[in-house]
Amino acid sequence: MIIVMNPKCSEREVKAVENELTKQGLGVNLSQGSTFCIIGVVGETRIIDPDKILSFDGVDKILKVEEPFKKANRLFKPEDTIVNVDGTLVGGNHLGIMAGPCSVESEEQIIEIAKSIKESGANFLRGGAFKPRTSPYSFQGLELEGLKLLKVAKKETGLPIVTEIMSTKYIDEFVNNVDVIQVGARNMQNFDLLKELGKTNKPILLKRGLSATIEEWLMSAEYIMAGGNENIILCERGIRTYETYTRNTLDLSAIPVIKKLSHLPVIVDPSHATGYWYLVEPLAKAAIAAGADGLMIEVHNNPQCALSDGQQSLKPALFDKVMKKVKVLAEIEGKTL
Amino acid sequence: MIIVMNPKCSEREVKAVENELTKQGLGVNLSQGSTFCIIGVVGETRIIDPDKILSFDGVDKILKVEEPFKKANRLFKPEDTIVNVDGTLVGGNHLGIMAGPCSVESEEQIIEIAKSIKESGANFLRGGAFKPRTSPYSFQGLELEGLKLLKVAKKETGLPIVTEIMSTKYIDEFVNNVDVIQVGARNMQNFDLLKELGKTNKPILLKRGLSATIEEWLMSAEYIMAGGNENIILCERGIRTYETYTRNTLDLSAIPVIKKLSHLPVIVDPSHATGYWYLVEPLAKAAIAAGADGLMIEVHNNPQCALSDGQQSLKPALFDKVMKKVKVLAEIEGKTL
Amino acid sequence: MIIVMNPKCSEREVKAVENELTKQGLGVNLSQGSTFCIIGVVGETRIIDPDKILSFDGVDKILKVEEPFKKANRLFKPEDTIVNVDGTLVGGNHLGIMAGPCSVESEEQIIEIAKSIKESGANFLRGGAFKPRTSPYSFQGLELEGLKLLKVAKKETGLPIVTEIMSTKYIDEFVNNVDVIQVGARNMQNFDLLKELGKTNKPILLKRGLSATIEEWLMSAEYIMAGGNENIILCERGIRTYETYTRNTLDLSAIPVIKKLSHLPVIVDPSHATGYWYLVEPLAKAAIAAGADGLMIEVHNNPQCALSDGQQSLKPALFDKVMKKVKVLAEIEGKTL
Amino acid sequence: MIIVMNPKCSEREVKAVENELTKQGLGVNLSQGSTFCIIGVVGETRIIDPDKILSFDGVDKILKVEEPFKKANRLFKPEDTIVNVDGTLVGGNHLGIMAGPCSVESEEQIIEIAKSIKESGANFLRGGAFKPRTSPYSFQGLELEGLKLLKVAKKETGLPIVTEIMSTKYIDEFVNNVDVIQVGARNMQNFDLLKELGKTNKPILLKRGLSATIEEWLMSAEYIMAGGNENIILCERGIRTYETYTRNTLDLSAIPVIKKLSHLPVIVDPSHATGYWYLVEPLAKAAIAAGADGLMIEVHNNPQCALSDGQQSLKPALFDKVMKKVKVLAEIEGKTL
């Protein structure tokens, strides 16, 4: 951490900052440039609250040298994390392909889709039981009934299930019934929820927030890891920009950036990122080519009856076609499914 | 609602959409342009899920005519909502000035600040007990102990208290001890929390999400109102952009836009929006001049000891100076404090 | 085009809008909903200035049905445009791979790089002679001397050359000496320049502006096409967001969106989009997988001596490795180089 | 400037960077932290090209200590710049109020508006002769004929005229006929144009680019100043965000930020920023309260006949009302008109 003092700061002000830092056990390295006095801080700087230092008189700005995340940092754990979901692996050279409907609607629907996506090569079944909807007047999901139907589909197909949690209230139900607990984009900084999930040892799928920086996203992973749960799969799902032809802007550069910064696996959701089914195929392929550890894709046997997100769902036949292409690219990348 | 069909759509596809709409009790108005076939939908269109319609074959896009919010909509309630917090009013020509420290730190601190801001003219005491921090290694607030200290400060000064809730877990404590429950930017779309707050009749301060559109923000208000609680004060606190000289970009045009779209009162938080104390005064004044119904300002008696957000806090003497200027502008705008 | 009238508009106001439209030879289709009166406009609506209509009393908003671009619109020219640069094709199933240094620095440098990239499979040489630099104190390019050196390199290798124009002042020099004239992101809406380029018949490489929507980008292509020059290659080079780990956010969804909206070829520049050489390989591969018609990649024989953008340049050996992988993906996509 | 080396960098790599810096006459200050080796650079660091340093092996990132602009920097010229336009001052405590139509349309129109805005208190007449329009099919302005009409209006009223330049082609006409040359948002980084304007001594109104950072905006001012022309008035006109209820998001925090960073005057254009006439009054007032040095407001005697931007123009009577309120706020701020 580097502290830049105001060009007009007094010696007394510099001294006050120095004292604060040494009081916290940190080393200090003063350097006077032509205009600016600069304080280099040496030691475990993650314990310092930059906001506090900025409130000292004479401090102009703080420049960060180290990343604020530690457990998620590849610097301290160079090898890839491989998340093991009851024997199905995600990370390293193992792809996780999570497919299924936006919302679980009925036993018939979820079983039919589960069988179909399994046949096409998916190794996880995703489906929403609790749905975060922008409007209170939209369908909110089957809730606990939805979890039950997912379990039935799992029993039929053997596919582990991934579904979104929206509140700490249901943590026990999720821990007992779900294989991968998804934290949605809107809850990426629901810190209470992250803390509670940190106390479990369930694999967590952590979606990037609607306008989260990569650093904030990794800090949310750090929240869970700080609690003791290191089974985290990150999921890029597009960020908000001013572009209106797509729902969000899928940020595929996040994949190689995450690979450099962190050891955690990262998958891509082209369905939510783009909002249109015709964009899923090209971006699913692009994600694999960019090095993603997997995909999350919406598949629905009858999009016109879908109670949510119909226009971004693939029909099973199209999903099957996409998977054939994904497999070719996966092989080129040295990944197995 | 207007449905634009694909230029190459078939008559059968148009018919299928028409049938779906009439099945839902809506009127339909077909119009064939030079290239596009357009379906105008007449009736209570808020019940339609646009995602579902978009999944019909041949549908190109949907154009929204009506706003998706209803209870928050000024069209259906033209007069200003005035929120009554135990006799202190916010909205109409009544300004709510909420001041205090980012975090409650000690009894001495909170009482001293409460007395000081009251003398300067604030009519609410704000202070964080539960703190949403980006890093799990930062100070997380005094939690329930913080609520107690706020109550002591209220007893000393009579100022109603505003503090942030972060989880449904503590709703009862908040309902029993707090005068205005704040929903922070990161929880603006924590729909479970919004639903629970809709069941209480406590005044809610609803901050705009980090990258929420005005429509999404009003839809979050609608979530609370749909549950029966219409005591909502909106709070603009800056949106995320690429600009780095300020923490966020304060969107003051949101004030007159909200005034046109909704009857709910809207205040401005220049402290969090900008991140720097020297920007608070000009933007507090600008907010009042733009028609805001109040302000939320961080004040700390000793910013250098602040456990969070020190660099954006005003010292009491500067807050007092800002308030003198705010009062002059308030009078010009016909507002009372 | 759909005109939504204010819920409280008068019959006189509706009539005034109707008159204006019929005066311009357009058909009008009135429809009165529960709250809103809606005017559907039939005919060649691209001639209407929406700003003018919005200034009529009683008009609330305008909803666009048709895209505002015509010559660039795939609706009116369904087959892919293939740009022919003296026999080298871009578009359809022909990939254009443009490589070379950010700045032309010397004859030796540009010839060495040109030979090297040709051997690796590039079919265009790119290099900056006129450089748009944020700081007036940075190297501004060799200017006309740079054009000469590019021509020497073309003579040596036969590679057609692509270089950026920054002013109408040098249009003749560019037309006479350059094979593809590049319009940089900062000049995407330099309308005077676009108009002048529309009068030539040179192939134009039109980069997307730093924060341009896809619609604005296509409208800039339309400016050139309206002048009579339809030889346009679009180039996605990242858009500005709040993310700081990358210089810009590469928007690969723009590729399939453009393919749907327009017949023009579109290539991707992963070097400028990301700003770091280590991100070029994964995103170059992703671009091809997403359906791009080519790539623009910075290659430098000695990045540490590069007078600009050194950190985003590949060394020739790495470029060669990237090209081997690109070729594999191109073949899968049915593209030839 | 601070250079952060890669945690795994070699001594040889550090040495290579050091050599490069000392070769350029700069001082070097090495500091080895727990993980990172840091190189502090002392001296006139503005001459270093950060991109070049980043291309050295082992360099991880560069942290900026000094602002990259010099002539525009308040550090080196603490007192406010007051731009003198033939006796009318802008900056310090002098407000510049620039009003008039988006486009000059006819002699009658521009004279009538000029008289009317003068009576309401404006001290500059603005009007577009060359218009940057997104669509090639929209009205492009009266061009040179428009300049003539502006001069007639100036002769009638004595108001100095402000109008936008779009190309270096007409620089002489602008220098000879115009009092303040406006550089529009889309040309903020048209560096060729900036360089040419730097050679004149005409006052320049430099609008902020659609998605320009404050630093880039000041660097564009620096381009003009580096050429010798220091008569610059900055103009905030909104930045692009994802919000759709307003055309752009007006960034009023830019006003006090600019005041801290630079000595140049800065005015606000609430008409283009918001896109709607009903938002002009509240944001014009807010701008003055935030410390702006003036306003640019669209006024049209007959918005429905306006050939461009009708919906954001005020009618003269409303402009007069706005000006009365602006004057009250200006007086409070100690500004004269």
Side-chain angles (χ1 to χ4, degrees):
Chain A
M1 181 184 277
I2 308 263
I3 300 166
V4 180
M5 301 297 292
N6 198 301
K8 288 160 199 151
C9 73
S10 69
E11 250 177 82
R12 233 184 80 254
E13 288 167 346
V14 176
K15 203 68 205 161
V17 176
E18 255 191 284
N19 286 346
E20 175 67 26
L21 294 166
T22 49
K23 214 176 68 190
Q24 295 196 33
L26 295 161
V28 163
N29 207 326
L30 267 188
S31 136
Q32 180 66 50
S34 49
T35 322
F36 290 92
C37 169
I38 281 159
I39 305 175
V41 190
V42 184
E44 177 47 279
T45 55
R46 277 179 204 83
I47 59 164
I48 312 180
D49 195 334
D51 288 335
K52 187 175 179 178
I53 302 298
L54 278 167
S55 69
F56 275 74
D57 292 328
V59 173
D60 196 61
K61 56 183 166 192
I62 285 183
L63 305 173
K64 222 179 30 169
V65 173
E66 304 192 307
E67 309 302 341
F69 44 88
K70 194 157 186 177
K71 297 201 163 194
N73 198 330
R74 193 180 277 274
L75 198 57
F76 307 117
K77 177 178 183 288
E79 64 282 2
D80 287 343
T81 286
I82 298 174
V83 174
N84 186 331
V85 184
D86 278 336
T88 304
L89 307 179
V90 183
N93 62 345
H94 304 277
L95 288 187
I97 307 290
M98 307 173 179
C102 185
S103 297
V104 179
E105 291 166 21
S106 71
E107 184 172 324
E108 195 191 1
Q109 171 233 29
I110 194 69
I111 290 180
E112 187 183 325
I113 296 177
K115 285 182 175 167
S116 145
I117 58 150
K118 187 184 180 185
E119 201 156 322
S120 299
N123 47 11
F124 290 85
L125 173 65
R126 58 139 301 166
F130 294 83
K131 299 299 307 167
R133 303 303 302 273
T134 311
S135 167
Y137 310 122
S138 297
F139 173 61
Q140 309 276 318
L142 293 182
E143 308 201 340
L144 291 177
E145 175 64 18
L147 289 193
K148 272 188 219 156
L149 299 182
L150 283 167
K151 276 190 85 169
V152 175
K154 178 186 176 180
K155 212 174 156 190
E156 286 284 328
T157 58
L159 291 176
I161 56 185
V162 187
T163 194
E164 180 170 352
I165 195 167
M166 282 180 61
S167 165
T168 52
K169 199 164 46 179
Y170 294 114
I171 278 208
D172 290 344
E173 275 84 356
F174 273 72
V175 167
N176 293 331
N177 295 299
V178 164
D179 300 293
V180 179
I181 303 179
Q182 175 178 328
V183 176
R186 287 174 181 76
N187 281 310
M188 191 201 83
Q189 292 194 321
N190 183 336
F191 298 119
D192 257 50
L193 181 60
L194 301 179
K195 282 181 195 171
E196 292 298 323
L197 293 171
K199 296 177 192 159
T200 76
N201 63 356
K202 272 282 158 181
I204 307 297
L205 184 84
L206 180 64
K207 287 205 157 188
R208 182 177 184 179
L210 277 84
S211 72
T213 60
I214 292 173
E215 183 181 304
E216 287 172 338
W217 188 15
L218 288 172
M219 285 308 285
S220 287
E222 188 82 11
Y223 250 96
I224 301 171
M225 296 172 93
N229 183 358
E230 308 202 353
N231 297 308
I232 297 171
I233 303 166
L234 300 166
C235 179
E236 159 66 29
R237 42 77 72 209
I239 56 173
R240 176 160 283 177
T241 68
Y242 48 78
E243 181 53 57
T244 53
Y245 275 119
T246 48
R247 179 179 288 194
N248 297 286
T249 297
L250 183 63
D251 177 13
L252 283 183
S253 29
I255 306 303
V257 169
I258 291 276
K259 289 285 167 206
K260 191 184 176 215
L261 294 173
S262 179
H263 48 83
L264 295 172
V266 54
I267 71 167
V268 169
D269 177 347
S271 305
H272 276 86
T274 63
Y276 295 98
W277 66 264
Y278 81 95
L279 295 171
V280 171
E281 177 179 329
L283 292 167
K285 294 192 306 183
I288 297 300
D293 295 304
L295 296 166
M296 174 169 257
I297 292 181
E298 274 191 34
V299 178
H300 200 287
N301 48 359
N302 185 0
Q304 284 167 39
C305 294
L307 292 173
S308 54
D309 283 342
Q311 91 279 17
Q312 69 195 28
S313 292
L314 302 189
K315 291 180 187 166
L318 181 50
F319 177 68
D320 193 65
K321 182 181 152 233
V322 172
M323 280 303 291
K324 285 197 171 65
K325 301 198 174 179
V326 161
K327 282 173 195 164
V328 173
L329 292 170
E331 202 174 320
I332 291 174
E333 296 296 317
K335 301 279 176 73
T336 62
L337 231 160
Chain B
M1 180 182 278
I2 308 263
I3 299 166
V4 180
M5 299 299 290
N6 197 301
K8 289 158 198 152
C9 73
S10 69
E11 249 177 84
R12 232 184 81 255
E13 288 167 346
V14 176
K15 202 69 204 163
V17 176
E18 256 190 284
N19 286 347
E20 175 67 26
L21 294 166
T22 50
K23 214 177 67 191
Q24 295 196 34
L26 295 160
V28 163
N29 208 325
L30 267 187
S31 137
Q32 180 65 50
S34 50
T35 322
F36 290 92
C37 169
I38 281 160
I39 305 175
V41 191
V42 185
E44 177 46 279
T45 55
R46 276 179 206 83
I47 59 164
I48 311 180
D49 196 334
D51 288 335
K52 186 174 179 176
I53 301 299
L54 278 166
S55 68
F56 275 73
D57 291 328
V59 173
D60 196 62
K61 56 184 167 191
I62 286 184
L63 305 173
K64 222 179 32 170
V65 173
E66 303 192 309
E67 309 302 340
F69 43 89
K70 193 155 188 179
K71 296 202 163 193
N73 198 330
R74 192 180 278 274
L75 198 57
F76 307 117
K77 177 177 182 290
E79 64 282 2
D80 288 342
T81 285
I82 298 173
V83 175
N84 185 332
V85 185
D86 279 336
T88 305
L89 307 180
V90 183
N93 61 346
H94 305 276
L95 288 188
I97 308 288
M98 307 173 179
C102 184
S103 297
V104 179
E105 292 166 20
S106 71
E107 184 172 325
E108 196 192 0
Q109 173 234 27
I110 194 70
I111 291 179
E112 188 183 325
I113 297 177
K115 285 181 175 166
S116 146
I117 58 150
K118 187 184 181 185
E119 202 157 320
S120 299
N123 47 11
F124 289 85
L125 173 65
R126 57 139 301 165
F130 294 84
K131 298 299 306 170
R133 303 302 302 272
T134 311
S135 168
Y137 310 122
S138 298
F139 174 62
Q140 309 276 319
L142 293 182
E143 309 201 340
L144 291 177
E145 175 65 17
L147 289 193
K148 273 189 219 154
L149 299 182
L150 283 167
K151 276 189 86 170
V152 176
K154 178 185 177 181
K155 212 174 156 190
E156 285 284 327
T157 58
L159 291 177
I161 55 186
V162 187
T163 194
E164 180 170 353
I165 195 167
M166 281 181 61
S167 165
T168 52
K169 199 163 45 177
Y170 295 114
I171 279 208
D172 289 344
E173 275 85 355
F174 273 72
V175 167
N176 293 332
N177 295 297
V178 163
D179 301 293
V180 179
I181 302 178
Q182 177 179 326
V183 176
R186 287 174 182 77
N187 281 310
M188 191 200 85
Q189 292 193 323
N190 182 336
F191 299 119
D192 257 49
L193 181 60
L194 301 180
K195 282 181 194 171
E196 292 299 322
L197 293 171
K199 297 176 192 160
T200 76
N201 63 356
K202 273 280 157 180
I204 307 297
L205 184 84
L206 181 64
K207 288 205 157 188
R208 183 177 182 178
L210 275 84
S211 71
T213 61
I214 292 173
E215 182 181 304
E216 287 171 340
W217 188 16
L218 288 172
M219 285 308 284
S220 287
E222 188 83 10
Y223 251 96
I224 301 171
M225 296 172 93
N229 183 357
E230 308 202 354
N231 296 308
I232 297 172
I233 303 167
L234 300 166
C235 180
E236 159 67 28
R237 44 76 71 207
I239 56 173
R240 176 159 284 177
T241 68
Y242 48 78
E243 180 54 56
T244 54
Y245 276 119
T246 47
R247 180 180 287 194
N248 297 286
T249 295
L250 182 64
D251 177 13
L252 284 183
S253 28
I255 306 302
V257 169
I258 291 276
K259 289 283 165 207
K260 190 184 177 215
L261 294 173
S262 179
H263 49 82
L264 294 172
V266 55
I267 71 167
V268 169
D269 177 347
S271 305
H272 276 85
T274 64
Y276 297 97
W277 65 265
Y278 82 95
L279 295 171
V280 172
E281 176 178 330
L283 291 167
K285 293 191 306 183
I288 298 299
D293 294 305
L295 296 166
M296 174 168 258
I297 292 181
E298 274 190 33
V299 178
H300 200 286
N301 46 0
N302 184 1
Q304 284 168 37
C305 293
L307 292 172
S308 56
D309 282 343
Q311 92 280 15
Q312 69 194 28
S313 292
L314 303 189
K315 291 180 188 166
L318 181 50
F319 177 67
D320 193 66
K321 183 180 152 235
V322 172
M323 282 302 292
K324 286 198 170 64
K325 300 199 175 179
V326 161
K327 283 172 194 164
V328 173
L329 293 170
E331 201 174 320
I332 291 173
E333 296 297 317
K335 301 281 175 72
T336 64
L337 231 160
Chain C
M1 180 182 276
I2 308 264
I3 300 165
V4 180
M5 300 298 291
N6 197 300
K8 288 159 199 152
C9 72
S10 69
E11 249 177 85
R12 233 184 81 255
E13 288 167 346
V14 176
K15 202 70 203 161
V17 176
E18 255 190 286
N19 286 347
E20 174 68 26
L21 294 166
T22 50
K23 212 176 67 190
Q24 296 196 31
L26 296 160
V28 162
N29 209 325
L30 267 187
S31 136
Q32 180 66 50
S34 50
T35 323
F36 290 92
C37 168
I38 281 159
I39 305 176
V41 190
V42 184
E44 176 48 277
T45 55
R46 277 179 204 85
I47 59 164
I48 312 179
D49 195 335
D51 288 334
K52 186 174 179 177
I53 302 298
L54 278 165
S55 69
F56 275 74
D57 292 328
V59 173
D60 196 60
K61 57 184 165 190
I62 286 184
L63 306 173
K64 222 178 30 168
V65 173
E66 303 191 311
E67 309 303 341
F69 42 89
K70 193 156 188 180
K71 296 200 162 194
N73 198 329
R74 193 180 278 274
L75 199 56
F76 307 117
K77 176 176 182 291
E79 66 282 2
D80 287 341
T81 285
I82 299 175
V83 174
N84 185 332
V85 184
D86 278 336
T88 304
L89 307 179
V90 183
N93 62 344
H94 305 276
L95 287 188
I97 307 289
M98 306 173 180
C102 185
S103 297
V104 180
E105 292 166 21
S106 70
E107 185 173 322
E108 195 193 0
Q109 173 234 27
I110 194 71
I111 290 179
E112 187 183 325
I113 297 177
K115 285 181 176 167
S116 146
I117 58 150
K118 187 183 180 185
E119 202 157 319
S120 299
N123 47 11
F124 290 85
L125 172 65
R126 59 139 300 164
F130 295 83
K131 300 298 308 169
R133 304 301 303 274
T134 311
S135 167
Y137 311 123
S138 298
F139 173 61
Q140 309 275 318
L142 292 183
E143 309 202 340
L144 291 177
E145 174 65 18
L147 289 193
K148 273 188 218 155
L149 299 181
L150 283 167
K151 274 189 87 170
V152 175
K154 179 185 177 182
K155 212 174 155 189
E156 285 284 328
T157 58
L159 291 176
I161 55 185
V162 188
T163 194
E164 180 170 353
I165 195 167
M166 282 179 64
S167 166
T168 52
K169 200 164 43 178
Y170 294 114
I171 279 209
D172 290 344
E173 274 85 356
F174 274 72
V175 167
N176 293 330
N177 295 297
V178 163
D179 300 293
V180 179
I181 302 178
Q182 175 179 327
V183 176
R186 287 174 181 79
N187 281 309
M188 192 199 85
Q189 293 193 322
N190 182 338
F191 298 119
D192 257 49
L193 181 61
L194 301 179
K195 282 180 195 172
E196 294 298 324
L197 292 171
K199 296 176 193 162
T200 76
N201 64 355
K202 274 279 157 181
I204 307 296
L205 184 85
L206 181 64
K207 287 204 156 188
R208 183 177 183 179
L210 276 84
S211 72
T213 60
I214 292 173
E215 183 182 303
E216 287 171 338
W217 187 16
L218 288 171
M219 285 308 284
S220 287
E222 188 83 12
Y223 251 96
I224 301 171
M225 297 172 92
N229 183 356
E230 307 202 353
N231 296 307
I232 296 172
I233 303 166
L234 300 166
C235 179
E236 160 66 28
R237 42 77 71 208
I239 54 173
R240 176 159 282 176
T241 68
Y242 49 78
E243 180 54 56
T244 54
Y245 276 119
T246 47
R247 179 180 287 193
N248 296 286
T249 296
L250 182 64
D251 177 13
L252 284 183
S253 29
I255 307 301
V257 169
I258 292 275
K259 290 283 166 208
K260 190 183 177 217
L261 294 173
S262 179
H263 49 83
L264 294 172
V266 55
I267 71 166
V268 170
D269 176 347
S271 305
H272 276 87
T274 63
Y276 296 98
W277 65 264
Y278 82 95
L279 295 171
V280 171
E281 177 178 329
L283 292 166
K285 294 192 305 183
I288 298 298
D293 294 305
L295 297 167
M296 175 169 257
I297 293 181
E298 274 191 32
V299 178
H300 200 286
N301 47 359
N302 185 1
Q304 283 167 41
C305 294
L307 292 172
S308 57
D309 283 340
Q311 90 280 14
Q312 70 195 27
S313 292
L314 302 189
K315 292 181 188 164
L318 182 50
F319 178 66
D320 193 66
K321 182 179 152 234
V322 172
M323 281 303 292
K324 286 199 170 64
K325 301 199 174 175
V326 161
K327 283 172 195 165
V328 173
L329 293 170
E331 201 174 322
I332 291 174
E333 295 297 317
K335 301 279 175 73
T336 63
L337 231 160
Chain D
M1 181 183 275
I2 308 262
I3 300 166
V4 180
M5 300 298 291
N6 198 299
K8 288 159 199 151
C9 73
S10 70
E11 249 177 85
R12 232 184 81 254
E13 289 167 346
V14 176
K15 201 68 203 161
V17 176
E18 254 191 286
N19 286 347
E20 174 68 24
L21 295 165
T22 49
K23 213 176 68 192
Q24 295 195 33
L26 296 160
V28 162
N29 208 323
L30 267 187
S31 137
Q32 180 65 51
S34 49
T35 321
F36 290 91
C37 168
I38 282 160
I39 305 175
V41 190
V42 184
E44 175 48 277
T45 55
R46 276 179 204 86
I47 60 164
I48 312 179
D49 195 334
D51 287 335
K52 186 173 179 177
I53 302 298
L54 278 166
S55 69
F56 275 74
D57 291 327
V59 173
D60 197 61
K61 57 183 165 191
I62 286 184
L63 306 173
K64 221 178 31 169
V65 173
E66 304 192 309
E67 309 303 341
F69 43 88
K70 194 158 187 177
K71 296 201 162 195
N73 198 330
R74 192 180 278 275
L75 199 56
F76 307 117
K77 177 178 182 287
E79 65 281 3
D80 287 342
T81 286
I82 299 175
V83 175
N84 185 331
V85 185
D86 279 336
T88 304
L89 307 179
V90 182
N93 63 344
H94 305 276
L95 287 188
I97 307 290
M98 306 173 180
C102 186
S103 297
V104 179
E105 292 166 21
S106 71
E107 185 173 321
E108 194 192 1
Q109 172 233 28
I110 194 70
I111 291 179
E112 186 183 326
I113 297 177
K115 285 182 176 167
S116 144
I117 58 151
K118 187 184 179 183
E119 202 157 321
S120 299
N123 46 12
F124 289 86
L125 172 65
R126 60 138 303 164
F130 294 84
K131 299 300 307 167
R133 304 301 303 273
T134 310
S135 167
Y137 311 123
S138 297
F139 173 59
Q140 309 276 318
L142 293 183
E143 308 202 340
L144 291 178
E145 174 66 16
L147 289 193
K148 273 189 219 156
L149 300 182
L150 283 166
K151 275 189 87 171
V152 174
K154 180 187 175 181
K155 212 173 154 191
E156 285 283 329
T157 58
L159 290 177
I161 55 185
V162 187
T163 194
E164 180 170 353
I165 195 167
M166 282 180 62
S167 166
T168 52
K169 200 164 44 180
Y170 294 114
I171 279 209
D172 289 344
E173 274 85 355
F174 274 72
V175 167
N176 293 330
N177 295 297
V178 164
D179 300 293
V180 179
I181 302 179
Q182 176 178 325
V183 175
R186 287 174 182 78
N187 281 308
M188 191 201 84
Q189 292 194 323
N190 182 337
F191 298 119
D192 257 50
L193 181 60
L194 301 179
K195 282 181 195 172
E196 294 298 323
L197 293 171
K199 297 177 192 161
T200 76
N201 63 354
K202 273 280 157 181
I204 308 297
L205 184 85
L206 181 64
K207 288 204 156 188
R208 182 178 184 178
L210 276 84
S211 73
T213 61
I214 292 173
E215 183 181 302
E216 288 171 338
W217 187 16
L218 288 172
M219 285 309 284
S220 286
E222 188 82 12
Y223 250 96
I224 301 171
M225 297 173 93
N229 183 357
E230 307 202 354
N231 297 307
I232 297 172
I233 302 166
L234 300 165
C235 179
E236 160 67 28
R237 43 75 74 209
I239 55 174
R240 175 160 283 176
T241 69
Y242 47 79
E243 180 54 56
T244 54
Y245 275 120
T246 47
R247 179 179 289 194
N248 297 285
T249 296
L250 182 64
D251 177 13
L252 283 183
S253 29
I255 306 301
V257 169
I258 292 276
K259 289 283 167 209
K260 190 184 177 217
L261 294 173
S262 179
H263 49 83
L264 295 172
V266 54
I267 71 167
V268 169
D269 177 347
S271 305
H272 276 86
T274 63
Y276 295 97
W277 65 265
Y278 82 94
L279 295 171
V280 171
E281 176 178 330
L283 292 166
K285 294 192 304 183
I288 298 298
D293 295 305
L295 296 167
M296 176 170 255
I297 293 181
E298 274 191 31
V299 178
H300 200 287
N301 47 359
N302 185 0
Q304 283 168 41
C305 293
L307 293 173
S308 56
D309 283 340
Q311 91 279 14
Q312 69 194 27
S313 292
L314 302 189
K315 290 180 188 166
L318 182 50
F319 177 68
D320 193 67
K321 182 179 152 236
V322 172
M323 281 303 293
K324 286 199 171 64
K325 301 199 175 177
V326 162
K327 283 172 195 165
V328 173
L329 292 169
E331 200 174 322
I332 291 174
E333 296 296 318
K335 300 279 176 74
T336 63
L337 232 161

